[in-house]
Amino acid sequence: MEPNTSTVAAGLKKVRAHITEIAGKAGRQAGEITLLAASKTNPAERLREAFVAGQTVFGENYLQEALVKIDALKDLPIEWHFIGPIQSNKTRRIAENFAWVHSVDRKKIAERLSKDRPEALPPLQICLQVNVSGEDSKSGVAPEEVADLAAHVAELPRLRLRGVMAIPELTKFTALQRSQFRMLKEAYDQLKQSGYDVDTISMGMSEDLELAIQEGATMVRIGTAIFGPRRYPIPEELVRQAQP
Ligand SMILES: *Cc1c(COP(=O)(O)O)cnc(C)c1O
């Protein structure tokens, strides 16, 4: 059954209340935490429902799918964030269509995004994705290489370094998960101590929101808890329309 309009609005309301509650208990202000709606696999109409319910920041993982929605929703002042893995042949359209990219993990991609960012747009806002789980299969720069990548990104004219992002290992072991969030917070603190003007720690998803906020997240990326369970594979019509 398709969830109806009120489901998206209700999901958002619940998540916002949850963020306020967790932040309060952690001695933080809910206003310090930006909610990004991770909207992959959801059609444009459901994003529009979220927008009507006050949500303006959306994150997408797959370029083709995202372009369909960006076009369908171009009448709305949405801030689009790219949060998925980046192939080098996709940088131009990412740089043209998004305000932020959370998943920069190598110099080559950073260079291409800078070169491809149109002059007419503000600089592309960048988070460095850090591999905090040490799993080989995961994207992200190793924690010990963050400083080097940050120095490179900071030199690129059309990028603006905002902070760090991670997708910790999905585990039931709270202590392990907490240590991975801490690793990201430490990477952020080191950037700050090195003099970078950063303000963003992008961590926390539906399942680990609470820990992420306790450990200092300033941007949480929430999908399922807002939109309900995802449908895989991505609906054909979402991908097909985006082909040139
Ligand atoms: C899908 C996704 C999310 C949201 O995940 P949920 O568990 O549905 O909240 C957050 N970040 C990234 C990078 C994602 O791909």
Side-chain angles (χ1 to χ4, degrees):
M1 215 174 65
E2 281 302 302
N4 59 28
T5 310
S6 65
T7 310
V8 175
L12 260 176
K13 198 172 161 194
K14 226 179 189 167
V15 169
R16 287 191 194 122
H18 197 193
I19 290 172
T20 302
E21 187 198 329
I22 300 166
K25 281 191 193 150
R28 302 186 58 198
Q29 302 286 332
E32 300 166 14
I33 301 156
T34 301
L35 172 60
L36 175 153
S39 42
K40 60 177 180 273
T41 78
N42 288 284
E45 308 85 77
R46 309 200 64 220
L47 278 65
R48 188 178 289 276
E49 288 162 18
F51 182 88
V52 169
Q55 182 64 31
T56 57
V57 179
F58 291 84
E60 287 281 338
N61 294 63
Y62 309 106
L63 179 63
Q64 297 295 109
E65 182 195 343
L67 292 176
V68 174
K69 297 182 216 179
I70 291 172
D71 187 55
L73 301 172
K74 59 177 183 270
D75 57 314
L76 305 179
I78 287 176
E79 184 176 277
W80 293 101
H81 292 223
F82 192 81
I83 61 175
I86 307 170
Q87 295 161 275
S88 54
N89 63 346
K90 301 274 168 68
T91 54
R92 183 176 61 80
R93 286 196 294 171
I94 291 172
E96 287 171 354
N97 288 284
F98 289 82
W100 285 62
V101 177
H102 291 224
S103 40
V104 171
D105 64 358
R106 48 198 202 278
K107 292 179 184 175
K108 180 181 160 201
I109 292 294
E111 284 162 13
R112 292 186 64 118
L113 286 170
S114 181
K115 182 171 69 61
D116 290 341
R117 181 65 167 177
E119 285 293 334
L121 297 176
L124 193 54
Q125 311 295 303
I126 300 292
C127 288
L128 306 181
Q129 183 172 353
V130 183
N131 182 349
V132 292
S133 69
E135 294 166 287
D136 286 345
S137 58
K138 281 276 176 74
S139 312
V141 61
E144 60 273 18
E145 286 162 14
V146 171
D148 187 44
L149 182 57
H152 195 73
V153 166
E155 291 291 310
L156 293 168
R158 303 295 297 138
L159 304 187
R160 159 112 159 73
L161 182 63
R162 295 296 293 268
V164 289
M165 175 273 223
I167 309 172
E169 197 174 339
L170 195 58
T171 165
K172 295 231 179 317
F173 299 107
T174 307
L176 175 61
Q177 200 146 47
R178 195 183 290 282
S179 74
Q180 295 184 8
F181 284 135
R182 283 198 180 155
M183 213 182 280
L184 190 67
K185 172 71 160 58
E186 276 164 27
Y188 172 84
D189 288 343
Q190 281 180 10
L191 290 178
K192 240 187 145 77
Q193 280 160 22
S194 306
Y196 294 105
D197 182 19
V198 286
D199 60 6
T200 303
I201 306 175
S202 166
M203 63 184 187
M205 303 169 39
S206 297
E207 292 294 322
D208 55 20
L209 175 64
E210 184 162 4
L211 270 186
I213 290 176
Q214 289 171 358
E215 296 302 329
T218 69
M219 197 178 290
V220 293
R221 310 178 310 267
I222 307 298
T224 313
I226 296 173
F227 296 105
R230 283 184 283 278
R231 295 179 301 168
Y232 284 111
I234 297 163
E236 258 286 296
E237 68 275 12
L238 277 180
V239 178
R240 218 175 339 132
Q241 290 170 16
Q243 307 292 345

